[in-house]
Amino acid sequence: MIKHLSISYVLTLLSMMTIAQIRDLDSYPVYEGSDLGLTYAKDRSVFVLWSPPAEEAEVIFYDSGTGGDPKRRESLRRDVQGTWRAELMEDLSGTFYVFRVRINGKWSAEVPDPYARAVGTNGKRGLVADPTKADPSGWENDKAIFSTRKSGNPNDAIIYELHVRDASIDPSSGILHKGKYMGLAETGTRNKAGLSTGLDHIRDLGVTHVHLLPVFDFSSVDESRPDTPAYNWGYDPLNYNAPEGSYATRADDGLTRVRELKTMIQAMHQQGLKVVMDVVYNHTMSASTSSFNQLVPGYFYRQDAKGDFSNATACGNETASERPMVRKFILESAVHWMMDYHMDGFRFDLMGVHDIKTMNIISSELRKLRPDMLLYGEGWTAGACPLPDSLRALKANASKLDGIAVFSDDIRDGIKGSVFEHADRGFVSGKSGMEQSIRFGIVASTRHDQVDYTKVNYSKAPYASSPGQTITYCECHDNHVLRDKLALSCPDADESTLKEMHRLALLIVLTSQGIPFLHAGTEMLRTKHGVENSFESGDGVNAIDWDMKTKNEDLFRFVRTILYMRRAHPSFRMTSSADIQKNIRFLDTQDGVVAYTINGGAVGDTWKKILVVLNGSGSSQQVPSPKGKWKVFVSNNRTVKNVHAGDSIMIKPHAGSVFFQ
Ligand code: CA
C-alpha cells in the first residue's frame, strides 16, 4: 500500500491521550464471548457492544441507510467484561442501526457497529438483516473446485492480483456489469477480436488464485452517486466486515452488496479459481471519527510517546493488534470472511504493522477450519512504529511466521530495478551486479550455499525457512507496472526489446521457487501510462484494456504455457528449503547471466533434470551446456519443441530458456 489520503492526520491532535490514559486502555476487561455486533433471528435481534469506559450506550434505529430522523432509540444494559447488550424480541429486519456511547458525560457521534456485516449507502449505518437471505442460489454447495491444481501446498498457488473495477469497466471488456462484482461473475465475455475477457480470461490463463484488491467497505468512493465515475484502490477501511457498495448494483441495499460479492466468488469457484481477499487491518480511514475510536477512545490504535496516534502506515494512524480486543476483532473478521464468503486466502496490507503473535493466532485459527488457507502480506511498514521490530510481522522475521508468506522486494527490484528510483534498472534490463539478487529470488529467500548474500540488493541473509514463506513477484498495484518501469528506465530501448525484457521478467517469476504473483494484465503488456501511484487516477489509467490482449496475444500465450509448465512440474514448486538446497545447482556463468539446474527426479518430476538459463544482458551470451541431450521447452523467451545437444547454448539478449531431460 502506498500513502493515500490522510486528512485524518490533522484530526489526531484532537485525540491526544496522556500516558495514564494509555495505561488505562491496557487494563480494560477482555470480552470472551463471540457475539459482538448483531445476532439476528426472526423473533429477536441481539446487539452487543464492547465499551468499558462507557457510562451509557444506545442503539438508534433508522428507516434508511442515510438521512431521516431516528425512529427509535433503545438503551443497552451494562453486561459482562466491558460489554453492553440489548435483546429486542421482535423482527427488526430491514431496519438500519447505529450505536452511540456516553463517556465522561459526553455522547459520542452516532457510528455504525464495527461488526456490521451489511451496511447502507456509504457505510453510515448497519442493516438488520437475515444473512441467509443474501446467499445466491447454490451457495450451500459452493467450494473451490480443484482438479489438477488440488493441494494445500502454498507453493502450488499462482496468484493473480486484480481490482474489481479495472477488470470490466473498459468497453473493450464486452462485459455487461461494468465495474461491478457481477461483471466478474459473467462468463462467455469477449473482446472485439473474439478473445476471452474477464473471468473466462483468468480461467484460460491458468492461475489458481484471484487476489482481489479491497472489497470490504472502504470510504473514498461516494456510493450515493453511482452514475458519476469514481475510482479508488480502496485502502481506506470504513466497515471491515461489510462489502464495498460501489461494486454492487445497489449500494443502498446492504443485502445486494452481500449477495453480489458472494455471486462473484461463487462464479470464480465454479471456474476452479480460489479467491484471496486483500485486508487492511493496519489502519482505518479516519482515526478519531472511526467507529472504533468513538466507541472506545484510543483503544484500537497505537499511540506514540506524546500520546498522539502513531503512524507506521503513513495514513495518520495504525491499529494496535497486540491489544487483545483488537486482536480478537481482526481474527473474528477474518473468520467471518472465510466462513461466510468462502474466501480462500488473505493478503495482509502492511503486515509489518501487526504483531507476530496476532498473525500466528490468525494462521492457526483459520487453518483449524480451512487447512489450505493461503496467507501472505507485506512484511514492512510505511513509517516508524512504537512496537519493537522484533515483535512485528516484518520480512526479516518471516521465519517466525507460521504459514504466512511475505512479499520479496529483493527479487521484485532485482528483476526490474528499484521501485523508488525510476531510472534504476534491474537484471532483465541489463543492470550488472544483480545476479545474486536473482539467485536469492530463485531459491525463494531460503538458505542456499551458492548465494553470495553480500551481493544481494536488500537482504543480507535468507529470511525464509521454507519457500512457502516467500511471494515471488516483480510488480503489483503499487508503483509502476512492469511495462511502464521498463519503458521509463530504458528510454533508448525499442518496443521489441522492451517486450523481451517483459517476457524474461515473467519467466523468472514463474520459474522461481516460492509463490508466484502476477499483477492483472501483465500477460497482455498492461500499461498505466507511466502513472506510478494510480490509487485514485481513474479508469483512464487503471482500466484493463482488453484490446491489448489482441495486440499481445503472443505474450498471453507464452505466459499461459509457462503457467502450464509450472503447474505440471513440481521442480518449480519445491516445498522445503532442504529440497531447494539439494536440488538446485547454479552454474558458473559470466556477468549478466544466471543459469541453474534442478534435479527434478528427486522431487517426483517427470522432467528428471531441468536447466534454466537467464540472460539479462543486452548481448547474446554463450553458456556451456551441461552434459546430456536436452529437450527444449522454452528457447529465448519462446515456447518450442525441439532438441538441443550441442556443447554450448546461445542465449539472446534479455531472454531465457528452459531445457529438460
Ligand atoms: Ca464504501
Side-chain angles (χ1 to χ4, degrees), residues 174-178 181-189 197-200 267:
I175 288 170
L176 190 63
H177 295 91
K178 290 186 174 58
Y181 299 126
M182 296 302 285
L184 274 168
E186 291 178 32
T187 55
T189 61
T197 63
L199 181 56
D200 279 9

Side-chain angles (χ1 to χ4, degrees), residues 292-440:
F292 291 132
N293 209 57
Q294 288 292 313
L295 297 171
V296 197
Y299 184 84
F300 281 84
Y301 302 94
R302 292 190 186 128
Q303 287 80 19
D304 62 21
K306 288 185 291 186
D308 201 350
F309 290 124
S310 56
N311 190 22
T313 62
C315 294
N317 66 82
E318 62 182 277
T319 53
S321 57
E322 69 281 12
R323 290 199 177 117
M325 290 300 288
V326 183
R327 178 176 288 153
K328 179 181 170 72
F329 180 87
I330 297 173
L331 173 63
E332 290 182 351
S333 177
V335 169
H336 156 63
W337 288 108
M338 179 180 72
M339 297 304 287
D340 287 10
Y341 286 80
H342 305 176
M343 289 292 180
D344 305 288
F346 295 107
R347 175 265 189 197
F348 294 87
D349 187 66
L350 294 183
M351 184 170 70
V353 171
H354 301 315
D355 67 298
I356 292 169
K357 185 175 169 188
T358 295
M359 293 311 303
N360 284 343
I361 289 171
I362 290 170
S363 174
S364 72
E365 290 301 312
L366 295 185
R367 289 209 171 90
K368 278 181 198 163
L369 301 160
R370 276 284 306 271
D372 64 335
M373 281 302 278
L374 186 64
L375 304 174
Y376 53 100
E378 292 181 303
W380 48 70
T381 66
C385 178
L387 197 70
D389 284 5
S390 62
L391 299 181
R392 285 184 287 115
L394 293 166
K395 186 179 78 167
N397 297 328
S399 64
K400 295 182 198 164
L401 291 167
D402 175 18
I404 305 167
V406 296
F407 284 91
S408 169
D409 53 346
D410 307 270
I411 191 163
R412 180 195 69 195
D413 290 2
I415 287 174
K416 73 184 206 295
S418 163
V419 296
F420 302 113
E421 296 166 42
H422 298 171
D424 188 39
R425 299 187 187 191
F427 177 81
V428 304
S429 36
K431 185 179 181 182
S432 61
M434 303 311 286
E435 299 82 6
Q436 297 299 326
S437 302
I438 297 301
R439 286 190 183 196
F440 183 86

Side-chain angles (χ1 to χ4, degrees), residues 41-150:
K42 201 162 172 54
D43 62 346
R44 77 181 63 192
S45 286
V46 181
F47 299 87
V48 183
L49 163 66
W50 183 75
S51 180
E55 294 138 11
E56 204 176 342
E58 281 183 347
V59 55
I60 305 165
F61 296 98
Y62 288 86
D63 281 327
S64 66
T66 53
D69 295 323
K71 67 172 185 178
R72 178 173 167 191
R73 294 169 186 275
E74 294 287 341
S75 291
L76 280 70
R77 69 167 199 281
R78 193 188 289 276
D79 203 6
V80 298
Q81 297 166 334
T83 57
W84 298 79
R85 176 179 293 264
E87 295 179 27
L88 303 178
M89 308 303 283
E90 59 197 286
D91 187 358
L92 290 168
S93 178
T95 311
F96 288 87
Y97 74 104
V98 290
F99 289 136
R100 68 170 188 163
V101 295
R102 189 165 58 82
I103 297 174
N104 295 330
K106 281 192 196 142
W107 282 102
S108 71
E110 294 181 6
V111 288
D113 173 6
Y115 278 81
R117 294 178 171 211
V119 295
T121 305
N122 284 331
K124 301 283 188 203
R125 295 170 187 160
L127 173 67
V128 181
D130 176 354
T132 62
K133 287 220 163 102
D135 289 348
S137 82
W139 183 247
E140 63 283 2
N141 300 321
D142 175 74
K143 59 186 174 199
I145 302 160
F146 283 82
S147 48
T148 55
R149 301 169 202 168
K150 183 175 182 179

Side-chain angles (χ1 to χ4, degrees), residues 122-123 217-219 221 223 238 244-246 257:
N122 284 331
D217 182 31
F218 55 81
S219 169
V221 172
E223 300 173 0
L238 191 59
E244 164 60 13
S246 61
R257 298 158 79 122

